[in-house]
Amino acid sequence: DAKTTQPTSMDCAEGRAANLPCNHSTISGNEYVYWYRQIHSQGPQYIIHGLKNNETNEMASLIITEDRKSSTLILPHATLRDTAVYYCIVRVGTNAGKSTFGDGTTLTVKP
Amino acid sequence: DVKVTQSSRYLVKRTGEKVFLECVQDMDHENMFWYRQDPGLGLRLIYFSYDVKMKEKGDIPEGYSVSREKKERFSLILESASTNQTSMYLCASSPPGYSNQPQHFGDGTRLSIL
């Protein structure tokens, strides 16, 4: 699985959009990008995933660059409850679905 | 919604005890996983199973074993608990890997070995 690089921490004002970047410059053509978040003392929560097209669901939007070497998770209107560690993961389905989680980005939403 | 349920949120055991951590999922997923999470080390895969009675070692299987007798249940066993197995244990499930569908996690068991 490709390695990902994320900033260690970010702040965001409540009500504003939170844009979380992820670099995955060694991504292969059949690898998907997944985003999870983990709120303190809970298990990771799935947010969104994509291959090469931009994706949107009720939680967030995922923007993947055309060369697929980086992506951005967008929380359109951050709330205090979005404060969490956000993980960007790249993996290929044939790897039995295993995920390798790095250190992630600690997002702090401030009032 | 997918529900992955771990039997205990907090557990305290003594060194040398045999410890069982249970995980149940309600989405008929083929794959199930056990991870441990430690500060500064991220999530590390202990074992996974892609079918009933099937298991594969992950990155850190030493000191652990698993059991999957039914599709919905995946048990992690610490044969003789040691203090270095104090950790947060996370169970996850997913459809087959080729589906590219995400894993879904339980809320974890925080295990302390005294």
Side-chain angles (χ1 to χ4, degrees):
Chain A
D1 292 341
K3 180 178 171 57
T4 62
T5 304
Q6 299 177 253
T8 302
S9 63
M10 294 181 64
D11 290 343
C12 177
E14 188 177 19
R16 304 296 294 268
N19 297 281
L20 293 92
C22 180
N23 182 288
H24 32 78
S25 58
T26 60
I27 191 170
S28 300
N30 58 350
E31 288 182 310
Y32 281 68
V33 180
Y34 299 79
W35 283 84
Y36 290 80
R37 72 181 182 184
Q38 188 172 23
I39 296 169
H40 184 63
S41 296
Q42 297 182 19
Q45 177 190 22
Y46 164 75
I47 302 172
I48 198 167
H49 75 288
L51 181 63
K52 54 185 177 181
N53 297 322
N54 298 338
E55 302 287 345
T56 295
N57 63 20
E58 65 279 4
M59 290 182 68
S61 294
L62 173 61
I63 308 297
I64 303 174
T65 58
E66 192 168 346
D67 63 7
R68 303 206 326 118
K69 293 185 177 181
S70 66
S71 61
T72 301
L73 178 75
I74 301 172
L75 307 178
H77 305 287
T79 71
L80 300 179
R81 288 177 295 180
D82 292 321
T83 292
V85 180
Y86 287 78
Y87 297 97
C88 167
I89 294 155
V90 175
R91 69 167 173 86
V92 61
T94 54
N95 193 18
K98 295 183 291 183
S99 295
T100 301
F101 286 68
D103 292 332
T105 296
T106 298
L107 174 69
T108 303
V109 180
K110 298 185 174 181
Chain B
D1 280 353
V2 175
K3 185 73 173 176
V4 179
T5 303
Q6 294 184 231
S7 53
S8 305
R9 289 298 305 275
Y10 301 93
L11 204 55
V12 179
K13 296 291 182 181
R14 296 204 174 274
T15 303
E17 280 193 69
K18 190 170 186 176
V19 181
F20 294 85
L21 301 183
E22 306 287 343
C23 175
V24 177
Q25 52 96 1
D26 66 357
M27 283 302 292
D28 202 36
H29 283 167
E30 284 77 4
N31 292 350
M32 296 189 75
F33 309 81
W34 276 106
Y35 294 87
R36 64 177 282 178
Q37 184 174 30
D38 301 287
L41 296 176
L43 271 73
R44 293 180 290 168
L45 182 65
I46 304 171
Y47 268 97
F48 68 98
S49 168
Y50 53 88
D51 202 351
V52 175
K53 298 190 184 294
M54 305 302 288
K55 61 184 179 183
E56 293 281 344
K57 292 180 180 179
D59 300 319
I60 51 164
E62 296 79 20
Y64 303 94
S65 63
V66 290
S67 173
R68 193 164 180 204
E69 296 296 320
K70 294 184 178 182
K71 192 174 185 180
E72 68 271 19
R73 187 179 298 271
F74 193 35
S75 303
L76 180 69
I77 304 154
L78 285 65
E79 297 290 345
S80 178
S82 64
T83 55
N84 63 12
Q85 292 178 309
T86 290
S87 186
M88 167 76 101
Y89 289 86
L90 291 158
C91 176
S93 74
S94 74
Y98 57 78
S99 72
N100 292 305
Q101 292 302 303
Q103 294 183 352
H104 294 272
F105 287 81
D107 276 337
T109 295
R110 193 167 292 279
L111 175 64
S112 296
I113 307 295
L114 304 179

